[in-house]
Amino acid sequence: MERNEDVSRRLKECGLKGTKHRKAILHFMDCSKIPVSADQVYLQLSAQGISMDLSTVYRTLETMREKGLLIKHSRLNDTRALYEYNRMEHKHYLVCLGCNKMLPVRHCPLEEYEKTLEKETDFMISGHKLAIFGYCAECKENI
Amino acid sequence: MERNEDVSRRLKECGLKGTKHRKAILHFMDCSKIPVSADQVYLQLSAQGISMDLSTVYRTLETMREKGLLIKHSRLNDTRALYEYNRMEHKHYLVCLGCNKMLPVRHCPLEEYEKTLEKETDFMISGHKLAIFGYCAECKENI
DNA sequence: TTAATTGCAAACACTTTGCACGCTA
DNA sequence: TAGCGTGCAAAGTGTTTGCAATTAA
């Protein structure tokens, strides 16, 4: 149960109690390769026999986001918000218009551009959100 | 009333009846320099003495979007959706984290990048959404 | 005339919140 | 045992919808 201890430690570092639910959620988030919704967390954990209220999932994800453990993607595709484990990497996403899946892309083509833009405008730029839309390998066959 | 006739004509071209509400909304959208929410349309027209139900505003904006008259920005900043008159230009926005205002930026730094990405992945790319966040001239003073 | 448009009220999806009880540190 | 965490039910927010009445073409 190395992983379990790792998760407990990270919760403690954030000043959060290591409850069963929190450990389960954080572990699940850590294992997810792509961003997931509160709903998905709830259903998947349910399926694993770990049952909790949906509001607890929402509350926990939000708390973890505040502590910097997770990153929130707010309704990119106008559906529900997605959360992912924060691995401290700046990246962007390919968002599938078919299944809403988000695939990370490492390279960021915007760093230079932001600096130029700040000089040209009155804005104080603090970040950006780039989502590239399209259809993933599976979905593009069913259009 | 040149403008009014222009608006009527554009409605007709889209197969939409030229009702008083529609003309008022389309004219208002045409005059707006930046994207606005259904709520804002509703309030501003109200203030001009043009009263209608909020659901009518939502329905009308959505209809006009379907016809291509407007562009919809779906809850970019996790608040309400914003609509703008479609001037057939590809552009991006500076989104103010203070007041949610969206300022257009003409240049798009992503055209080349998309092609590269399509080659590298299995995605069929259909577009992108780039929002650059920060604080506008007014808001950055009050942080 | 007659099909499109509207107001109204109710439903919707996702998310947040108040409160009493339960459990971790 | 003190206070954080949780389930439950209810509220909130932005948006959509069904239906009957109204209106433009």
Side-chain angles (χ1 to χ4, degrees):
Chain A
M1 283 286 167
E2 250 223 299
R3 198 133 218 171
N4 215 323
E5 281 166 26
D6 197 36
V7 157
S8 297
R9 181 177 49 70
R10 274 175 288 179
L11 285 172
K12 191 171 288 174
E13 283 167 5
C14 295
L16 298 176
K17 285 190 181 168
T19 68
K20 187 177 133 192
H21 291 168
R22 284 201 180 141
K23 285 185 220 166
I25 290 178
L26 191 54
H27 181 244
F28 179 81
M29 295 305 292
D30 191 11
C31 295
S32 290
K33 297 289 174 253
I34 59 177
V36 291
S37 64
D39 204 59
Q40 286 172 299
V41 175
Y42 173 78
L43 289 172
Q44 299 268 358
L45 290 181
S46 255
Q48 293 175 28
I50 303 167
S51 102
M52 68 187 80
D53 196 84
L54 182 56
S55 72
T56 300
V57 178
Y58 274 110
R59 252 189 295 229
T60 304
L61 292 175
E62 194 50 26
T63 304
M64 292 179 176
R65 187 199 58 74
E66 279 164 18
K67 297 297 185 183
L69 290 169
L70 304 179
I71 292 169
K72 180 178 188 178
H73 302 279
S74 291
R75 312 180 181 211
L76 261 194
N77 201 5
D78 207 12
T79 59
R80 66 207 95 204
L82 302 182
Y83 289 85
E84 72 171 323
Y85 197 89
N86 183 3
R87 294 179 214 286
M88 299 304 202
E89 300 160 346
H90 179 73
K91 46 185 177 171
H92 295 297
Y93 295 85
L94 289 166
V95 181
C96 180
L97 295 169
C99 63
N100 275 318
K101 185 167 49 193
M102 292 174 70
L103 242 68
V105 183
R106 268 138 318 203
H107 174 69
C108 171
L110 294 166
E111 277 154 28
E112 275 312 306
Y113 181 62
E114 268 190 5
K115 289 175 201 153
T116 316
L117 206 55
E118 198 157 43
K119 277 177 211 144
E120 286 175 4
T121 68
D122 266 342
F123 253 67
M124 186 185 79
I125 295 176
S126 59
H128 60 257
K129 197 149 73 179
L130 166 62
I132 297 159
F133 295 95
Y135 292 89
C136 71
E138 293 93 61
C139 291
K140 73 182 172 190
E141 290 169 15
N142 310 318
I143 300 178
Chain B
M1 284 284 167
E2 246 224 300
R3 197 131 219 172
N4 214 323
E5 279 166 29
D6 196 34
V7 156
S8 296
R9 180 177 50 70
R10 274 175 289 181
L11 285 172
K12 190 171 289 177
E13 281 167 6
C14 294
L16 298 175
K17 284 188 182 172
T19 67
K20 185 177 136 194
H21 293 167
R22 286 206 177 135
K23 286 186 219 166
I25 291 179
L26 191 55
H27 181 244
F28 178 81
M29 296 305 293
D30 191 12
C31 295
S32 291
K33 296 289 173 251
I34 59 177
V36 291
S37 65
D39 204 60
Q40 287 173 298
V41 174
Y42 174 78
L43 289 172
Q44 300 269 0
L45 290 181
S46 255
Q48 294 175 28
I50 303 167
S51 103
M52 69 188 81
D53 196 83
L54 182 56
S55 73
T56 299
V57 177
Y58 273 110
R59 251 189 296 230
T60 304
L61 292 175
E62 195 49 26
T63 303
M64 289 179 178
R65 187 200 57 75
E66 279 164 18
K67 298 296 186 184
L69 290 169
L70 303 180
I71 292 170
K72 179 179 187 177
H73 302 280
S74 291
R75 311 179 182 212
L76 260 195
N77 202 6
D78 207 11
T79 59
R80 66 209 93 202
L82 303 182
Y83 289 84
E84 71 173 322
Y85 197 89
N86 184 2
R87 294 180 214 286
M88 299 304 203
E89 300 160 347
H90 178 75
K91 47 186 174 168
H92 295 298
Y93 297 86
L94 288 166
V95 181
C96 181
L97 295 170
C99 63
N100 276 317
K101 184 167 52 191
M102 292 176 71
L103 241 70
V105 183
R106 266 137 320 202
H107 174 68
C108 172
L110 294 167
E111 277 155 27
E112 275 312 305
Y113 180 62
E114 266 188 8
K115 286 175 203 154
T116 316
L117 205 55
E118 197 156 45
K119 275 175 211 145
E120 287 174 3
T121 68
D122 266 343
F123 253 66
M124 186 185 82
I125 296 176
S126 59
H128 60 257
K129 196 149 74 178
L130 166 63
I132 297 160
F133 296 96
Y135 293 90
C136 72
E138 293 94 57
C139 290
K140 72 182 173 189
E141 290 170 14
N142 311 318
I143 300 180

PDB file of all heavy atoms in Angstrom, chain A residues 81-92:
ATOM      1  N   ALA A  81     -17.766  20.571 -15.437  1.00  0.00           N
ATOM      2  CA  ALA A  81     -16.361  20.886 -15.185  1.00  0.00           C
ATOM      3  C   ALA A  81     -15.551  19.598 -15.015  1.00  0.00           C
ATOM      4  O   ALA A  81     -16.069  18.582 -14.571  1.00  0.00           O
ATOM      5  CB  ALA A  81     -16.242  21.728 -13.921  1.00  0.00           C
ATOM      6  N   LEU A  82     -14.284  19.655 -15.416  1.00  0.00           N
ATOM      7  CA  LEU A  82     -13.404  18.496 -15.269  1.00  0.00           C
ATOM      8  C   LEU A  82     -12.236  18.842 -14.352  1.00  0.00           C
ATOM      9  O   LEU A  82     -11.736  19.973 -14.372  1.00  0.00           O
ATOM     10  CB  LEU A  82     -12.881  18.061 -16.643  1.00  0.00           C
ATOM     11  CG  LEU A  82     -13.926  17.700 -17.706  1.00  0.00           C
ATOM     12  CD1 LEU A  82     -13.239  17.256 -18.982  1.00  0.00           C
ATOM     13  CD2 LEU A  82     -14.882  16.622 -17.220  1.00  0.00           C
ATOM     14  N   TYR A  83     -11.827  17.845 -13.567  1.00  0.00           N
ATOM     15  CA  TYR A  83     -10.688  18.034 -12.671  1.00  0.00           C
ATOM     16  C   TYR A  83      -9.596  17.047 -13.041  1.00  0.00           C
ATOM     17  O   TYR A  83      -9.879  15.954 -13.530  1.00  0.00           O
ATOM     18  CB  TYR A  83     -11.088  17.747 -11.224  1.00  0.00           C
ATOM     19  CG  TYR A  83     -12.001  18.769 -10.605  1.00  0.00           C
ATOM     20  CD1 TYR A  83     -13.377  18.686 -10.786  1.00  0.00           C
ATOM     21  CD2 TYR A  83     -11.494  19.799  -9.830  1.00  0.00           C
ATOM     22  CE1 TYR A  83     -14.226  19.617 -10.199  1.00  0.00           C
ATOM     23  CE2 TYR A  83     -12.327  20.734  -9.234  1.00  0.00           C
ATOM     24  CZ  TYR A  83     -13.696  20.634  -9.422  1.00  0.00           C
ATOM     25  OH  TYR A  83     -14.526  21.556  -8.846  1.00  0.00           O
ATOM     26  N   GLU A  84      -8.351  17.432 -12.761  1.00  0.00           N
ATOM     27  CA  GLU A  84      -7.268  16.485 -12.948  1.00  0.00           C
ATOM     28  C   GLU A  84      -6.203  16.698 -11.883  1.00  0.00           C
ATOM     29  O   GLU A  84      -6.099  17.769 -11.285  1.00  0.00           O
ATOM     30  CB  GLU A  84      -6.638  16.631 -14.333  1.00  0.00           C
ATOM     31  CG  GLU A  84      -5.808  17.883 -14.468  1.00  0.00           C
ATOM     32  CD  GLU A  84      -5.016  17.923 -15.765  1.00  0.00           C
ATOM     33  OE1 GLU A  84      -4.521  16.879 -16.214  1.00  0.00           O
ATOM     34  OE2 GLU A  84      -4.909  19.028 -16.326  1.00  0.00           O
ATOM     35  N   TYR A  85      -5.443  15.685 -11.663  1.00  0.00           N
ATOM     36  CA  TYR A  85      -4.342  15.739 -10.711  1.00  0.00           C
ATOM     37  C   TYR A  85      -3.345  16.788 -11.184  1.00  0.00           C
ATOM     38  O   TYR A  85      -2.993  16.828 -12.361  1.00  0.00           O
ATOM     39  CB  TYR A  85      -3.666  14.367 -10.636  1.00  0.00           C
ATOM     40  CG  TYR A  85      -2.813  14.236  -9.402  1.00  0.00           C
ATOM     41  CD1 TYR A  85      -3.363  13.773  -8.213  1.00  0.00           C
ATOM     42  CD2 TYR A  85      -1.464  14.586  -9.423  1.00  0.00           C
ATOM     43  CE1 TYR A  85      -2.591  13.667  -7.073  1.00  0.00           C
ATOM     44  CE2 TYR A  85      -0.686  14.482  -8.286  1.00  0.00           C
ATOM     45  CZ  TYR A  85      -1.255  14.020  -7.115  1.00  0.00           C
ATOM     46  OH  TYR A  85      -0.500  13.931  -5.982  1.00  0.00           O
ATOM     47  N   ASN A  86      -2.905  17.626 -10.279  1.00  0.00           N
ATOM     48  CA  ASN A  86      -1.972  18.706 -10.641  1.00  0.00           C
ATOM     49  C   ASN A  86      -0.531  18.207 -10.618  1.00  0.00           C
ATOM     50  O   ASN A  86       0.062  18.035  -9.567  1.00  0.00           O
ATOM     51  CB  ASN A  86      -2.123  19.870  -9.664  1.00  0.00           C
ATOM     52  CG  ASN A  86      -1.233  21.039 -10.038  1.00  0.00           C
ATOM     53  OD1 ASN A  86      -0.534  21.011 -11.048  1.00  0.00           O
ATOM     54  ND2 ASN A  86      -1.264  22.078  -9.224  1.00  0.00           N
ATOM     55  N   ARG A  87       0.020  17.974 -11.798  1.00  0.00           N
ATOM     56  CA  ARG A  87       1.406  17.513 -11.897  1.00  0.00           C
ATOM     57  C   ARG A  87       2.345  18.674 -12.183  1.00  0.00           C
ATOM     58  O   ARG A  87       3.477  18.493 -12.639  1.00  0.00           O
ATOM     59  CB  ARG A  87       1.541  16.418 -12.954  1.00  0.00           C
ATOM     60  CG  ARG A  87       0.791  15.150 -12.570  1.00  0.00           C
ATOM     61  CD  ARG A  87       0.864  14.049 -13.587  1.00  0.00           C
ATOM     62  NE  ARG A  87      -0.399  13.302 -13.588  1.00  0.00           N
ATOM     63  CZ  ARG A  87      -0.764  12.455 -12.633  1.00  0.00           C
ATOM     64  NH1 ARG A  87       0.013  12.214 -11.608  1.00  0.00           N
ATOM     65  NH2 ARG A  87      -1.927  11.834 -12.687  1.00  0.00           N
ATOM     66  N   MET A  88       1.868  19.851 -11.961  1.00  0.00           N
ATOM     67  CA  MET A  88       2.686  21.058 -12.094  1.00  0.00           C
ATOM     68  C   MET A  88       3.286  21.217 -13.478  1.00  0.00           C
ATOM     69  O   MET A  88       4.422  21.648 -13.621  1.00  0.00           O
ATOM     70  CB  MET A  88       3.838  21.040 -11.069  1.00  0.00           C
ATOM     71  CG  MET A  88       3.377  21.002  -9.640  1.00  0.00           C
ATOM     72  SD  MET A  88       2.281  22.399  -9.291  1.00  0.00           S
ATOM     73  CE  MET A  88       2.454  22.486  -7.490  1.00  0.00           C
ATOM     74  N   GLU A  89       2.528  20.851 -14.490  1.00  0.00           N
ATOM     75  CA  GLU A  89       3.010  21.045 -15.845  1.00  0.00           C
ATOM     76  C   GLU A  89       2.060  21.995 -16.551  1.00  0.00           C
ATOM     77  O   GLU A  89       0.858  21.890 -16.408  1.00  0.00           O
ATOM     78  CB  GLU A  89       2.995  19.726 -16.632  1.00  0.00           C
ATOM     79  CG  GLU A  89       3.855  18.636 -16.041  1.00  0.00           C
ATOM     80  CD  GLU A  89       3.417  17.260 -16.552  1.00  0.00           C
ATOM     81  OE1 GLU A  89       2.313  17.139 -17.124  1.00  0.00           O
ATOM     82  OE2 GLU A  89       4.181  16.303 -16.341  1.00  0.00           O
ATOM     83  N   HIS A  90       2.621  22.912 -17.324  1.00  0.00           N
ATOM     84  CA  HIS A  90       1.773  23.755 -18.153  1.00  0.00           C
ATOM     85  C   HIS A  90       1.484  23.004 -19.443  1.00  0.00           C
ATOM     86  O   HIS A  90       2.385  22.617 -20.160  1.00  0.00           O
ATOM     87  CB  HIS A  90       2.481  25.075 -18.457  1.00  0.00           C
ATOM     88  CG  HIS A  90       1.674  25.979 -19.325  1.00  0.00           C
ATOM     89  ND1 HIS A  90       0.562  26.653 -18.857  1.00  0.00           N
ATOM     90  CD2 HIS A  90       1.779  26.292 -20.623  1.00  0.00           C
ATOM     91  CE1 HIS A  90       0.039  27.350 -19.845  1.00  0.00           C
ATOM     92  NE2 HIS A  90       0.761  27.152 -20.929  1.00  0.00           N
ATOM     93  N   LYS A  91       0.217  22.761 -19.699  1.00  0.00           N
ATOM     94  CA  LYS A  91      -0.095  22.066 -20.941  1.00  0.00           C
ATOM     95  C   LYS A  91      -1.459  22.472 -21.484  1.00  0.00           C
ATOM     96  O   LYS A  91      -2.206  23.171 -20.832  1.00  0.00           O
ATOM     97  CB  LYS A  91      -0.027  20.546 -20.743  1.00  0.00           C
ATOM     98  CG  LYS A  91      -0.716  20.042 -19.502  1.00  0.00           C
ATOM     99  CD  LYS A  91      -0.487  18.539 -19.328  1.00  0.00           C
ATOM    100  CE  LYS A  91      -1.119  18.075 -18.024  1.00  0.00           C
ATOM    101  NZ  LYS A  91      -1.156  16.638 -17.847  1.00  0.00           N
ATOM    102  N   HIS A  92      -1.761  21.994 -22.675  1.00  0.00           N
ATOM    103  CA  HIS A  92      -3.032  22.305 -23.294  1.00  0.00           C
ATOM    104  C   HIS A  92      -3.732  21.021 -23.683  1.00  0.00           C
ATOM    105  O   HIS A  92      -3.183  19.940 -23.524  1.00  0.00           O
ATOM    106  CB  HIS A  92      -2.824  23.205 -24.509  1.00  0.00           C
ATOM    107  CG  HIS A  92      -2.286  24.533 -24.097  1.00  0.00           C
ATOM    108  ND1 HIS A  92      -2.978  25.382 -23.294  1.00  0.00           N
ATOM    109  CD2 HIS A  92      -1.095  25.127 -24.321  1.00  0.00           C
ATOM    110  CE1 HIS A  92      -2.260  26.451 -23.064  1.00  0.00           C
ATOM    111  NE2 HIS A  92      -1.102  26.327 -23.673  1.00  0.00           N
TER     112      HIS A  92
END
